[in-house]
Amino acid sequence: MPFRHDANLLLNELISLRRAIHAEPEVGIDLPHTQAKILGALQGLPLEITRGTSLSSVTAVLRGGDPEGPLVLIRGDMDALPVTEASGEPFSSGNGAMHACGHDLHVAAVVGAARLLSARREELAGDVQFVFQPGEEIGGGAALMIQDGVLTAAGRVPDAAYGLHVHSGYVPAGTLASRPGTLMASSDKLTVRVLGVGGHGSQPHLAKDPIHVLCEIVIALQGTVTRHFDVFDPVVITVGVIEGGSRGNVIPQHATFEATVRTVSAAARTKFERDTNVLCQHIAEARGLRADVEYLHDLPPTTNDTNEYRFVQETVTEVFGPERWVMMPHPHMGAEDFALFLNAVPGCYVFLGTSVFDDHTQASDLHAATARFDDRWLADGAALLAELAARRLARGHVRV
Ligand SMILES: [Zn+2]
Ligand SMILES: [Zn+2]
């Protein structure tokens, strides 16, 4: 019998868990209340449970019927965002943080998969490792867990890794979507400090105005994207912070901006970093100023293994029907630290549509204070993760 049937019986429990986590969100890598709720929900299951030491993660290993069999890793992220919730949900958070990225649903779906697979433990042709990861939003959680040995926590490196991300605005409710190869972008952080000479706002010719130069650089970077990069190998740069000056008639000493840069190919990533350095220095020099450029690689692209992608597509099509599957025509320019798991273990990451609207394009985007998610889809999320684990184990150690 497919896991879908049993997952539907669990739905109310999963919704309660999701809403309890939603009402008490925690940000970053120290999430003691979320960790306690996960441990509570896993209580009584035949799992080998370990807690993180450098972050409040939970790793739970389910030993199946074949000790020689493969190992599948299922990961759910746990952390919230520093957003003041305005969703209007009756279970809204009141503590200044919010599960605006839906990680509360991810926790509940993975708990559901653990419940479903535990009930059929003897039938499993190998082991399953459930990973609950803090710190996705700050980009450091996966790296810390890998550093702490999560990839050998079950005694061996996993054969395959899967995860899902809910999304209300990107795909219609109930749709499962992914693509082979690059699924999501890399994410880099650019900080530029323009160093000038301060002075009186009435006599700019006696000063070296960093704000004017900073504005020229910000505009020029957008020109770099459109004039120097292939439109089919995308680059996105967004300047999210500009800082400088104290009042309108004072030319400050320096001004700074911060940006996020997204690319999907290594070539575009390398070229944009190089071009940015040259452009910032040269524009500043041309005006007699100096620019300090800091370019930090944050996350690599999230890359699905092509064979694992096909396996997921087949599973979704068989379990939920072909009408529920969408192959994304292009990558999503968001970034995701599950990328680090997928760089170490072949696997696939999947989006699950959770819009509360019939027309999903009306839904607020992820991270918005008004973001809402239809948690009735949790049963399908849990069933999918359980099906992927059980079916992948049945295929053995070979690459699928
Ligand atoms: Zn997010
Ligand atoms: Zn997220």
Side-chain angles (χ1 to χ4, degrees), residues 41-328:
L42 297 178
Q43 216 166 25
L45 298 180
L47 300 166
E48 296 166 14
I49 291 179
T50 46
R51 301 170 200 209
T53 47
S54 53
L55 70 179
S56 48
S57 59
V58 177
T59 300
V61 178
L62 177 66
R63 302 288 176 194
D66 180 0
E68 304 295 318
L71 171 68
V72 167
L73 184 149
I74 303 285
R75 174 272 207 177
D77 40 11
M78 301 161 56
D79 57 320
L81 288 153
V83 169
T84 301
E85 180 156 6
S87 70
E89 297 284 18
F91 48 88
S92 284
S93 148
N95 70 4
M98 177 184 174
H99 270 291
C101 205
H103 297 184
D104 48 341
L105 286 95
H106 302 171
V107 169
V110 177
V111 165
R115 298 283 299 270
L116 294 170
L117 290 162
S118 293
R120 307 229 201 129
R121 178 187 184 183
E122 293 303 323
E123 297 166 34
L124 299 177
D127 300 342
V128 186
Q129 179 181 356
F130 304 96
V131 173
F132 298 90
Q133 180 214 304
E136 193 284 323
E137 295 293 356
I138 56 169
L144 271 175
M145 289 198 76
I146 290 170
Q147 203 177 302
D148 285 356
V150 72
L151 292 176
T152 50
R156 59 198 194 278
V157 176
D159 295 80
Y162 307 107
L164 62 79
H165 204 301
V166 293
H167 212 309
S168 295
Y170 191 55
V171 284
T175 295
L176 291 151
S178 190
R179 71 191 304 277
T182 307
L183 176 73
M184 297 175 78
S186 61
S187 171
D188 295 329
K189 185 180 171 192
L190 170 66
T191 307
V192 178
R193 190 171 162 90
V194 180
L195 306 161
V197 174
H200 198 289
S202 66
Q203 308 212 75
H205 60 292
L206 300 178
K208 291 184 192 304
D209 183 358
I211 292 198
H212 174 245
V213 167
L214 180 144
C215 293
E216 287 188 315
I217 291 173
V218 168
I219 299 298
L221 283 169
Q222 299 298 345
T224 298
V225 171
T226 67
R227 303 298 87 188
H228 298 279
F229 286 83
D230 185 342
V231 71
F232 294 109
D233 187 6
V235 177
V236 171
I237 174 165
T238 291
V239 175
V241 176
I242 289 184
E243 278 173 346
S246 56
R247 56 181 295 175
N249 64 356
V250 177
I251 293 173
Q253 291 281 108
H254 47 78
T256 303
F257 73 85
E258 279 177 32
T260 186
V261 180
R262 309 298 171 101
T263 53
V264 298
S265 78
R269 194 181 195 189
T270 307
K271 177 173 156 54
F272 193 78
E273 179 175 359
R274 196 181 55 226
D275 288 5
T276 295
N277 266 296
V278 171
L279 192 85
C280 294
Q281 311 287 0
H282 285 197
I283 289 177
E285 273 172 29
R287 303 275 182 217
L289 287 80
R290 206 158 58 76
D292 282 348
V293 180
E294 188 185 64
Y295 201 101
L296 288 179
H297 288 200
D298 192 1
L299 287 171
T302 302
T303 309
N304 285 333
D305 179 271
T306 303
N307 295 324
E308 291 291 348
Y309 164 82
R310 273 198 217 107
F311 163 71
V312 172
Q313 179 188 20
E314 268 170 47
T315 304
V316 169
T317 305
E318 276 180 41
V319 175
F320 300 102
E323 68 283 359
R324 294 277 301 274
W325 180 255
V326 166
M327 191 193 87
M328 292 158 53

